[in-house]
Amino acid sequence: METRVKNSLECIRRISGARVLVVGDVMLDTYLACRALGVADEAPVPLLEIGGQSRALGGAANVARNLARLGARTSLVGMVGGDSAGEAVRSLLRESGVDGSLLETHRPTTLKTRVLSGDHYYLRLDEEELSPPTEAEQAALAARIEARLSEVDLLVVSDYDKGLLSPDLSERIQRLAREGGRGIVADLKPRNALVWRHLDLIAPNLSEARSLCAQLDSGGETGDDAETIAETLRSRMNCAVVLKMGSRGMLVAPPSGPTSRLEALCRSPVEVSGAGDTVLATLAAALARGADLHQAARLANLAASVSVSRPGTHAVSADELTEAVTRSSESS
């Protein structure tokens, strides 16, 4: 156990040398903190008074933020619109220490607005356009990816199904990664996943994994057992699988050999939003610095426990992860 802890701490220290490129759907999350005043006069709906507003990076931008917080040198390629939300994303990326290479496009920036009052979550409003990039935009995005691939250790693909990762661009990304000898760690939406054939690791949640298995089996019976699902994905996608199961922890299926389960470490989560981004970022950061899959997954599981124990969408720092490793060793 002591050796495992030392290895984990050394892995966290090594992350500061990691160089990671994130490609995916960039979003801005806006939170409206409101005070409930009762019921509106003109309709039987809640009457809320806005008391404050905060903004945070979402989607692939949040994955990049998590990587930077862990100490990795992080680049991000994505799209934003020529609007105030796009400017906010650029500003937040600079504050986070992320090298943002964002293409300004014909589409508005994907924006999610959440309306909250105390612990009550009233409403979410999405402003987005899901059309794929134009051919010229795809060429520009591919050029930005190609320019950065030689400078990084690993490529992370963060797919939120907002249109950026079209089949054509996904094919280009895979070709560029193969030609550059770079591995790909991905979190993919099931309906976009079948175009990806050259991945090193996927990290779906259980619902996404079931849906993807159904597509891969073309109506066949995969079953509902998490281990069977993970092994099916590993075999059909020809890559390692880290299956995120929420309160049930994670299931790790290496490219070959037996699967293993990691129990969830936070019993009373405060906020689960963004935890999947934390898992993906931690896996990528550790693997980029030579960690084996099980070591990377253990760190990702610990990072997730820290993330969900904090309010809001929390990106875990290297210091917080170090503290979590030390604390876990003391309680074991």
Side-chain angles (χ1 to χ4, degrees), residues 57 61 64-65 68 74-76 92-100:
L57 296 168
R65 172 181 171 238
T74 309
S75 303
L76 170 67
L92 289 168
L93 286 173
R94 286 192 294 270
E95 292 174 12
S96 300
V98 175
D99 171 23

Side-chain angles (χ1 to χ4, degrees), residues 22-59:
V22 181
V23 178
D25 296 300
V26 171
M27 299 187 284
L28 180 67
D29 291 331
T30 298
Y31 299 86
L32 298 179
C34 302
R35 184 166 65 96
L37 301 180
V39 179
D41 294 335
E42 67 270 23
V45 296
L47 178 60
L48 304 173
E49 179 182 69
I50 298 175
Q53 175 178 297
S54 61
R55 288 177 160 181
L57 296 168

